[in-house]
Amino acid sequence: MKPLELYRDGEKVVCAFTLYIDPRTGEPEEMRRLMLDGLGRIAGCYGTDKGPVEVEVRVNIADKFSLGAVNVRIIDETPVIRKWYSPRINVSRAYYGTRRKGLLKLERFIMRKPDVYINLAGKDVQDQRQRGVICSVIQHEFGHVLGFKDKYRMRNFKKKNEDVDDGDIMYRVGDAQKFMEYHIRRLRSCADKGRVPFRNV
């Protein structure tokens, strides 16, 4: 069991997640559906300069906190802007090391610290618009799990490069986020080699 596997299945790029969802938040089944809806947004056919790439998402649900899973905790806290010097958990975030087993993963496992936090931030998961925003955040954070890097500056949340499209999943624009071509090229390259990215890209 691995937190993330990338591989090819014919022409498809498969992102296979093993997921453990902390049951202390909300109704466990509802939180499971929410996570699956968010992850489902990653799947699709993407155009690149080398032709279309079809991405499929497969999810295995673990029944306990595990080294071999992406351990997710869903929280509901009023968010505040996180400063670089303040590591408080008040926004959704994914931690480095969630993609693979290793020392960073072991430390989090021993201390029972989840790899991904999803903050509902007071949103109603039954309201379709608000649910869409939450699913967009899930998609964004699992973009980090796949190895994608934010395209905005932490200090002021401005774009690192003006060429970055506002619809880029790594640039927060609400529930209309999407993967961009350079992400998919990298994802396909890793899948061709059957390995997880070593670091964020």
Side-chain angles (χ1 to χ4, degrees):
M1 190 167 68
K2 295 180 180 179
L4 168 64
E5 292 182 273
L6 293 176
Y7 57 89
R8 293 288 289 271
D9 184 357
E11 292 302 310
K12 292 181 180 178
V13 171
V14 177
C15 306
F17 298 99
T18 299
L19 207 65
Y20 170 69
I21 304 170
D22 191 319
R24 290 180 290 179
T25 302
E27 292 293 330
E29 187 58 34
E30 178 60 35
M31 295 300 102
R32 179 176 178 272
R33 284 196 297 269
L34 184 66
M35 291 301 303
L36 292 177
D37 287 350
L39 288 172
R41 286 182 168 222
I42 295 172
C45 190
Y46 299 90
T48 74
D49 57 0
K50 295 186 178 180
V53 176
E54 187 173 356
V55 177
E56 180 180 343
V57 174
R58 298 177 184 174
V59 181
N60 297 312
I61 302 295
D63 58 1
K64 62 182 179 179
F65 199 96
S66 172
L67 272 174
V70 178
N71 299 298
V72 179
R73 178 171 296 165
I74 301 174
I75 59 178
D76 192 351
E77 297 179 0
T78 302
V80 297
I81 295 176
R82 187 177 72 242
K83 305 294 185 181
W84 65 269
Y85 53 80
S86 175
R88 290 176 297 162
I89 306 305
N90 46 48
V91 295
S92 301
R93 66 182 300 182
Y95 285 87
Y96 182 79
T98 62
R99 301 185 291 282
R100 62 174 73 236
K101 297 176 183 178
L103 289 178
L104 289 173
K105 185 78 170 179
L106 180 62
E107 188 269 341
R108 299 195 69 79
F109 174 75
I110 292 172
M111 302 302 293
R112 290 296 189 269
K113 295 189 289 188
D115 304 304
V116 176
Y117 285 86
I118 299 297
N119 189 1
L120 301 182
K123 295 181 177 63
D124 180 2
V125 297
Q126 304 303 325
D127 179 274
Q128 289 306 304
R129 170 68 182 178
Q130 295 183 56
R131 188 184 185 90
V133 173
I134 297 167
C135 286
S136 181
V137 170
I138 293 169
Q139 182 188 25
H140 176 102
E141 296 307 333
F142 274 81
H144 290 311
V145 175
L146 288 170
F148 303 154
K149 191 174 182 180
D150 280 323
K151 298 299 179 183
Y152 57 81
R153 300 182 189 282
M154 178 71 73
R155 187 170 300 173
N156 54 20
F157 292 95
K158 292 183 179 179
K159 297 180 186 181
K160 290 182 179 179
N161 187 321
E162 287 305 315
D163 292 336
V164 175
D165 191 298
D166 280 347
D168 185 346
I169 189 175
M170 298 295 102
Y171 187 71
R172 293 178 184 277
V173 290
D175 62 350
Q177 296 166 341
K178 59 185 179 181
F179 282 115
M180 300 301 286
E181 179 181 312
Y182 49 86
H183 292 321
I184 300 302
R185 286 202 308 264
R186 175 67 171 173
L187 201 62
R188 179 169 58 183
S189 174
C190 289
D192 286 341
K193 299 170 185 174
R195 65 175 177 80
V196 175
F198 179 71
R199 57 174 63 89
N200 285 352
V201 293

